[in-house]
């Protein structure tokens, strides 16, 4: 049932996936269903504290498998990165990388995304080099990751090619905004940054990129109101 729920979530219906897990009798709720719940919540951009609590409980659970604990450690890294705590995020990420399940494409995707989010570009490029195969179980997400990696190394053509294969949504809008930003198409980039920021899980990242773009153009008076609310909400964010 845990696998079926995750497949439903990958299809875009996280609420239905969580409902499937909620429907499981208490006597069959186990570590596998709990890590599935944490991954589904992470994918849906749920509250990072809720994800971190689930992940830490799995790390502390003696019945959890090595694979489940590796995922829990990775989810802790992503939660810390989302909160702007790069020190904790880097520590969890390094531990997750050490115990990475071989051949698990989704684990490698998630690890690489977390590394990029915290600015660890070298680690991200190294992790991406270990993708199991060109074929993917989540081609859209992999296209988004390829675009993000291309942007990190200033490969605009590579980013554009990858985005042509990426699905519509907040993450793709954010990546397109960054590409437009890099090309000096600031008005179009602003529109897409604001569009991406409407999705709660991308709000901080989109507003930070937008503010950086405005500052680079000398528009500090426009950038400051975008950042000030985030500094109050995310006190550890760099």
């Amino acid at each position: 049932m845990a696998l079926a729920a995750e497949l439903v979530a990958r299809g875009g219906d996280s609420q239905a996936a969580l409902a499937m897990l909620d429907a499981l009798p208490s006597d069959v709720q186990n570590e596998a269903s709990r890590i599935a719940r944490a991954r589904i919540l992470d994918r849906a951009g749920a509250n990072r504290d809720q994800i971190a609590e689930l992940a830490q409980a799995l790390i502390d659970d003696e019945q959890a498998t090595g694979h489940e604990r590796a995922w829990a450690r990775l989810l802790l890294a992503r939660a810390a990165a989302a909160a702007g705590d790069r020190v904790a995020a880097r520590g969890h990420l390094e531990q997750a990388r050490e115990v990475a399940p071989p051949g698990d494409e989704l684990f490698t995707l998630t690890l690489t995304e977390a590394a990029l989010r915290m600015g660890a570009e070298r680690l991200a490029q190294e992790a991406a080099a270990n993708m199991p195969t060109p074929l993917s179980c989540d081609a859209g997400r992999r296209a988004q990751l390829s675009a993000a990696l291309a942007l990190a190394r200033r490969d605009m053509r590579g980013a554009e090619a990858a985005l042509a294969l990426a699905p519509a949504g907040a993450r793709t809008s954010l990546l397109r905004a960054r590409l437009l930003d890099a090309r000096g198409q600031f008005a179009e980039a602003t529109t897409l940054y604001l569009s991406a920021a409407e999705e709660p899980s991308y709000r901080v990242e989109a507003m930070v990129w937008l503010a950086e773009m405005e500052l680079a153009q000398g528009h500090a008076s426009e950038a400051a109101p975008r950042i000030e609310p985030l500094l109050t909400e995310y006190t550890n964010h760099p």
Side-chain angles (χ1 to χ4, degrees), residues 41-236:
L41 289 169
D42 177 68
R43 186 183 185 93
N47 182 280
R48 62 184 183 276
D49 293 334
Q50 181 184 7
I51 297 167
E53 183 178 349
L54 280 169
Q56 187 61 57
L58 278 159
I59 289 172
D60 297 337
D61 188 344
E62 295 181 357
Q63 300 300 316
T65 65
H67 185 271
E68 290 160 353
R69 284 182 176 156
W71 265 104
R73 184 68 66 183
L74 181 51
L75 292 173
L76 278 177
R78 285 171 62 85
D85 189 346
R86 291 191 177 185
V87 174
R90 186 62 183 254
H92 289 308
L93 197 66
E94 292 288 0
Q95 292 179 63
R97 188 184 183 193
E98 290 174 4
V99 294
D104 188 334
E105 182 197 10
L106 288 180
F107 187 94
T108 306
L109 276 169
T110 306
L111 188 150
T112 307
E113 290 167 351
L116 280 174
R117 189 164 195 170
M118 71 176 68
E121 294 174 5
R122 181 176 176 181
L123 191 157
Q125 299 288 354
E126 290 174 354
N130 294 323
M131 289 290 183
T133 155
L135 299 176
S136 176
C137 62
D138 195 337
R141 184 175 175 186
R142 190 149 171 177
Q144 291 168 328
L145 178 59
S146 294
L149 290 166
L151 286 167
R153 59 178 184 267
R154 307 289 298 176
D155 177 6
M156 302 306 144
R157 289 186 178 180
E160 187 170 24
L163 285 170
L165 303 173
R171 187 179 179 196
T172 297
S173 293
L174 175 58
L175 291 166
R176 287 192 188 282
R178 289 181 54 198
L179 178 59
L180 291 166
D181 183 353
R183 288 177 166 170
Q185 296 173 252
F186 302 127
E188 297 93 331
T190 297
T191 298
L192 286 178
Y193 279 137
L194 292 174
S195 175
E198 293 177 4
E199 172 61 46
S201 58
Y202 290 99
R203 171 172 160 260
V204 174
E205 191 175 358
M207 296 306 286
V208 168
W209 278 107
L210 175 55
E212 287 183 0
M213 182 185 76
E214 290 172 334
L215 281 173
Q217 296 176 72
H219 302 319
S221 61
E222 295 178 16
R226 303 191 193 281
I227 293 299
E228 286 168 359
L230 302 181
L231 294 176
T232 301
E233 188 174 353
Y234 302 93
T235 55
N236 291 325

Side-chain angles (χ1 to χ4, degrees), residues 4-15:
E6 292 205 63
L7 290 173
V8 169
R10 287 183 209 172
D13 195 343
S14 297
Q15 291 303 315

